[in-house]
């Protein structure tokens, strides 16, 4: 259906207002969000997205409403998977905890710009060339196949081409100067790693957009629904990052679930392409009568697959153990890094989580311990962090846990 210009203006204005609100009231002053703060604001943004979906359902009809919810859920799930890569990037750049909110918000804005551009381009191509559905479908099938390969921290790198080019073009400091993008060193204006990490996340998100936009076009070709579902899936991503901190590594089957969803949508796109076929070398340019997958069925499949993979991950021994391993490595490294955070409560939080993860690894049975890699190295990191914590506790006269 045709969406009025007023609906477009109000939707874009609401999204921009939420981004400005996020910056002014949460990000401008550097701080580490508490779990309660992250949970409250995450719930609010999800609630806003759901209310928008209800409005779409009421004003646009059941078809448009179901397309929005299917697109929103798919894009949200893909965004959560992307958070793992953002975590790796910020860890490799040693971004101070207080400044990670600003990096994420800038990443969200860059994501929104990239995705809007791809949405407009994709819509123009689809309207002009029906065979584009074949390309989108094949792209999703290839992406799904790649996602079935195990993804680890070593399989991602923050030092992408854009970052390496920026380092060569501009002199860069080794350390941060608050949240400044540029600073002065020996009288010269130089770039800080803060700008580089924003560039790294923006460049990485460009690759994410190449997957997510064909996926949502496989569910709906309504540009308004594609844009709004994509935008609302990105809003609140910053808060979700801090809420899921420590749990991202536990979602070990999420990538497999997303691969299955992308393969399903890719198949749906190819079936639609066959139904709209006009390629002369396929069935003499005539449409092929095939069964098309409805949006309602797509929504059910997406929800079922996500629920199975998420709960399967949360109750998996492998998932809990992998989370403990990742937490030990990251938390010990962060605790031993004096520049990671100036917040005593945050340092205590990551230290407590480090000890809980260490205890989990130590308590594993012989069979489960086979999952753990480099156990002596992990326990040595814990010992160093414990020694540092004991020295700090002795200096301040506070009790400590061994």
């Amino acid at each position: 259906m045709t969406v009025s210009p007023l609906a477009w203006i109000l939707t874009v204005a609401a999204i921009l207002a939420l981004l400005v609100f996020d910056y002014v009231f949460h990000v401008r002053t550097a701080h580490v969000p508490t779990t309660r703060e992250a949970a409250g604001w995450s719930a609010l943004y999800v609630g806003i997205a759901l209310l928008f979906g209800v409005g779409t359902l009421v004003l646009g009809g059941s078809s448009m409403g179901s397309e929005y919810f299917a697109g929103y859920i798919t894009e949200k799930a893909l965004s959560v998977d992307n958070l793992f890569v953002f975590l790796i990037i910020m860890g490799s750049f040693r971004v101070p905890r207080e400044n990670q909110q600003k990096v994420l918000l800038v990443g969200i804005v860059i994501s929104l710009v990239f995705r809007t551009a791809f949405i407009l381009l994709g819509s123009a191509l689809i309207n002009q060339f029906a065979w584009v559905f074949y390309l989108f479908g094949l792209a999703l099938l290839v992406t799904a196949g790649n996602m079935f390969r195990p993804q680890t921290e070593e399989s991602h790198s923050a030092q992408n081409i854009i970052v390496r080019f920026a380092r060569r073009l501009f002199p860069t400091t080794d350390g941060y100067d608050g949240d400044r993008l540029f600073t002065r060193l020996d009288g010269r204006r130089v770039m800080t790693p803060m700008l580089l990490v924003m560039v790294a996340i923006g460049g990485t998100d460009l690759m994410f957009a190449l997957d997510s936009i064909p996926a949502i076009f496989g569910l709906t070709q309504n540009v308004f629904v594609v844009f709004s579902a994509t935008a609302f899936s990105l809003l609140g991503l910053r808060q979700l990052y801090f809420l899921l901190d420590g749990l991202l590594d536990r979602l070990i089957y999420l990538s497999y679930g997303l691969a299955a969803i992308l393969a399903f949508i890719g198949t749906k796109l190819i079936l639609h392409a066959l139904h709209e076929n006009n390629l002369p070398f396929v069935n003499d340019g005539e449409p092929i009568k095939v069964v098309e997958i409805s949006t309602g069925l797509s929504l059910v499949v997406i929800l079922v697959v996500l629920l199975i993979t998420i709960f399967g991950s949360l109750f998996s021994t492998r998932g809990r153990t992998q989370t403990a391993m990742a937490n030990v490595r990251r938390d010990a490294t962060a605790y031993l890094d004096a520049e990671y955070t100036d917040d005593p409560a945050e340092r205590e939080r990551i230290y407590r989580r480090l000890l809980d993860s260490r205890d989990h690894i130590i308590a594993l049975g012989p069979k489960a311990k086979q999952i753990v890699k480099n156990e002596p190295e992990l326990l040595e990191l814990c010992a160093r962090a414990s020694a540092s914590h004991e020295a700090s506790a002795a200096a301040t006269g506070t009790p400590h846990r061994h």
Side-chain angles (χ1 to χ4, degrees), residues 130-339:
W131 52 262
V132 170
F133 287 112
Y134 285 115
L135 294 182
F136 281 3
L138 289 172
L140 291 182
L141 291 175
V142 170
T143 300
N146 290 333
M147 290 183 74
F148 275 112
R149 294 184 300 182
Q151 297 292 310
T152 63
E153 294 195 14
E154 288 75 20
S155 61
H156 301 285
S157 174
Q159 299 295 327
N160 58 35
I161 296 174
I162 301 173
V163 171
R164 290 197 295 268
F165 178 75
R167 282 190 184 275
R168 290 179 182 177
L169 198 61
F170 302 103
T172 310
T173 62
D174 294 326
Y176 291 86
D177 185 8
D179 60 0
R180 293 185 178 88
L181 304 182
F182 293 91
T183 187
R184 289 201 168 273
L185 182 66
D186 298 330
R188 290 193 309 162
R189 182 177 172 83
V190 293
M191 187 166 55
T192 71
M194 182 62 69
L195 181 57
L196 287 178
V197 72
M198 290 177 179
V199 170
I201 285 181
T204 303
D205 190 74
L206 178 61
M207 303 306 299
F208 293 156
L210 294 175
D211 299 334
S212 66
I213 298 307
I216 194 169
F217 269 120
L219 298 169
T220 176
Q221 285 82 61
N222 187 314
V223 179
F224 178 78
V225 173
V226 172
F227 172 78
S228 57
T230 301
F232 281 110
S233 72
L234 292 172
L235 293 174
L237 198 60
R238 175 185 63 80
Q239 294 86 346
L240 194 61
Y241 173 88
F242 289 95
L243 179 62
L244 295 180
D245 182 32
L247 287 178
L248 288 172
D249 298 280
R250 191 161 173 176
L251 300 175
I252 58 173
Y253 301 128
L254 179 61
S255 61
Y256 299 120
L258 290 174
I261 290 171
L262 292 181
F264 172 79
I265 297 174
T267 302
K268 184 177 185 292
L269 274 169
I270 290 178
L271 288 174
H272 182 71
L274 291 171
H275 189 268
E276 301 289 330
N277 178 65
N278 58 10
L279 291 177
F281 53 85
V282 177
N283 198 38
D284 295 325
E286 295 296 322
I288 302 174
K289 291 183 179 180
V290 294
V291 176
E292 289 210 75
I293 302 170
S294 68
T295 304
L297 177 60
S298 299
L299 181 56
V300 171
V301 170
I302 290 166
L303 284 172
V304 170
V305 171
L306 284 178
L307 288 174
I308 291 173
T309 54
I310 289 172
F311 282 105
S313 297
L314 293 178
F315 291 103
S316 162
T317 299
R318 177 177 290 274
R320 291 194 295 272
T321 302
Q322 186 164 310
T323 301
M325 290 165 51
N327 283 349
V328 164
R329 187 177 293 108
R330 270 199 292 266
D331 290 344
T333 303
Y335 190 85
L336 293 168
D337 184 356
E339 296 181 356

Side-chain angles (χ1 to χ4, degrees), residues 1-9 11 52 56 60 64 222-225:
M1 69 175 279
T2 303
V3 179
S4 68
L6 179 61
W8 271 103
I9 292 170
T11 302
F52 186 89
T56 304
M64 189 173 178
N222 187 314
V223 179
F224 178 78
V225 173

Side-chain angles (χ1 to χ4, degrees), residues 32 90-91 93-100 173-179 193-194 332-343 346-347 350 388:
V32 181
M90 286 195 282
F93 276 100
R94 297 173 59 243
V95 180
R97 186 70 167 174
E98 291 85 350
N99 295 328
Q100 289 182 5
T173 62
D174 294 326
Y176 291 86
D177 185 8
D179 60 0
M194 182 62 69
T333 303
Y335 190 85
L336 293 168
D337 184 356
E339 296 181 356
Y340 176 71
T341 180
D342 294 327
D343 186 347
E346 173 63 13
R347 287 184 62 80
I350 61 174
S388 175

